Amino acid sequence: MKKRSKLWLTVVPLYVFTLLFVLGPMIYMVVLSFQTRAEVWGVVNEFTLDNYKNIFHPVYLQTFAESFKLAITSTLFIVAIGYPFGYFMAKLSPVWKKRMMLLLMIPFWTSSLIRMYGWIIIFRANGTLDKLLMGLGLTQSPLKLLYTYPAVVVGMVYALLQFMIFAVYSSAEKLDWSLVEAARDLGASPWQAFRTVTLKLTLPGLLSGVILTFIPSMGLFFIADILGGNKVVLVGSLIQDQLMKAHNWPFAAALSVALMIMTTLMIALYKRVTHSEELEGLL
Amino acid sequence: MSETILALRNITKHFGNTQVLRGIDLEVQKGEFVTLLGSSGCGKTTTLRIIAGLETPDSGKVLLAGADVTGAEPNKRDVNTVFQNYALFPHMTVAANIGYSLKLKRADKEVIRREVSQALELVQLTGYEKRLPSELSGGQRQRVAIARALVNKPSVLLLDEPLGALDLQLRRQMQLELKALQKQLGLTFIYITHDQEEALNMSDRIAVMRDGRFEQIGTPAEVYDHPRTSYVARFVGTANVLTGCVAEQKDGVVRMTCAGGCAGAADAGHTFRPGQPLSLAVRSEQVEFTTDPGACGLPATVREKSFAGGMLRIALALQDGTELVASRHGIDIAVEPGDQVRVTWDPAHAVPVDVEAAV
């Protein structure tokens, strides 16, 4: 009995916290998205669907399409780099696994905003990268990479790669390597064994890595702002602009709800494909 | 008549600074059931993995049906393995697991279906095609692992302690089934176990392994009745091993003095010099009690009496402290702990061991 009462002490604050700071704001946001913008400041309590209709305006649809394009491009690069990285990390000796983990964690000790400013120094005209390439004689003039689409992709990959690595790593770590040996023993070439056994069994990690990188890359507006100038406008930037600059809170709320619905759909799809309850690498 | 299907020639293997295999030689005939018997860490699994191609030996050769396959990839060898933990693919159904190797060979779908159902019939799991490994019991997983390795009809089937995870009753039953399957299909089995009873029950030949070497290779009867070394005698027959000095040799019997008495064994064709050190092995059920003080025998003190597995087990201590075990069917032996007794045995039932090492 005593144990039980103590358990309550730990569970109740958690519920209160979740209700207050997660569910509460979410309900507020959904309510807000059906309200009408007040003429000067704030909202008036008048039900409308206009905020959602507005999303389908070509300009905003274009923004969604751009965001998707950037998210897909970034995610493809992240998969290409992060999957092999996580896979081979799982094969390291325990000591090296710990070292790698530490190396991957260290960047998190600095604000991601500051790390993005670091990329400005590298990418700007006559910056570190230009100097290096020109010094090696590979390019003749500055590349002017800053404020371009590739710069934004690099920033996204850099900011989100760890999530993919950890997701793949945690799933490859659990892999029973004797299964790969069994496949080889039964006549599979290394590639066939990888395709039919390793890849299939690390798929939950890969897919959760995709979700963990794809969803944030739709909303990481500060990367697009810092490294893309005003050229790359994402859903995240749009929401921020509507909220902070245009003061159109209901429309910002509707955009957020739309983004949330897409996210939920992706997680539902993940559960359907992998039959798993949790995202690999999250727990 | 017989045909060598697998030959190992002087195989050695290191892992780091540890030498795991110290020169393994083995010839296996087609259709033979050979067991590698040894305690854990003796190198038996490494030997199996070298045959399968999952490890490369430092030196030596692996010949499969006469062809040198030492450096060949595992998928290029006509050998399949039943892994110790079964290693069933958790994301595939029973049918997909068993049909895996056939699918890799791009066999026709209908052929795969037929072969899989035949394999399932062999291991008595008809109707389990659509199950996932996680939905099977340990014994059923075991059968699927065997079916998966059999379906390919390999020239040699390697089994790494396949029954180790099963309970005693199921293990006994699977021993019989496996042996029957092997005879029925005329397959060559190389079987690993640390259970001497299992080895004695199933094998055509047993290779007793210790410290990366074979101590003795022979039929179960040879290994059990004529152990060549004290290790084999203890490990396979759980025999008593006594050490002393040769007293005399005549009429095919060698007698030695040890522990304040006399012990005899059949000389097995060896010649012994008087005074030479000698070890002999005698199994507990051969040890008898005598009241004749003139007979060749050993004075001993009864330590304890216990009843186990239908046998009365009597632990004795010889004068020099050596432990000796006698066992009897039935419980009508009139000895009690603390009694002074005299033990002896028919020399025909004791064998000299470690003879090569002693000379």
Side-chain angles (χ1 to χ4, degrees), chain A residues 207-228:
Chain A
L207 290 181
S208 91
V210 165
I211 290 181
L212 290 175
T213 55
F214 189 87
I215 292 169
S217 63
M218 301 271 290
L220 281 177
F221 59 87
F222 70 91
I223 294 177
D225 282 356
I226 292 172
L227 297 176

Side-chain angles (χ1 to χ4, degrees), chain B residues 326-346:
Chain B
S327 59
R328 285 287 174 283
H329 289 287
I331 51 170
D332 54 341
I333 297 289
V335 292
E336 292 303 327
D339 285 0
Q340 299 292 321
V341 294
R342 196 171 171 81
V343 293
T344 186
W345 51 82
D346 181 351

Side-chain angles (χ1 to χ4, degrees), chain A residues 132-143:
Chain A
L132 187 72
L133 290 176
M134 278 156 45
L136 289 169
L138 290 169
T139 52
Q140 305 307 318
S141 53
L143 284 173

Side-chain angles (χ1 to χ4, degrees), chain B residues 174-193:
Chain B
M174 287 298 291
Q175 282 175 14
L176 296 175
E177 283 182 24
L178 263 180
K179 181 71 190 163
L181 204 63
Q182 186 256 343
K183 280 273 167 283
Q184 180 192 345
L185 301 176
L187 288 168
T188 311
F189 272 32
I190 298 188
Y191 190 97
I192 283 188
T193 185

Side-chain angles (χ1 to χ4, degrees), chain B residues 280-309:
Chain B
L280 63 83
V282 59
R283 282 204 305 276
S284 60
E285 62 266 31
Q286 307 295 350
V287 176
E288 286 165 18
F289 296 92
T290 176
T291 48
D292 176 7
C296 179
L298 298 159
T301 311
V302 178
R303 279 274 177 78
E304 60 178 53
K305 234 164 80 167
S306 56
F307 198 68

Side-chain angles (χ1 to χ4, degrees), chain A residues 207 211 265-277:
Chain A
L207 290 181
I211 290 181
L265 285 177
M266 278 188 66
I267 292 175
L269 190 71
Y270 168 83
K271 283 189 174 175
R272 272 293 274 289
V273 173
T274 63
H275 309 286
S276 67
E277 286 301 309

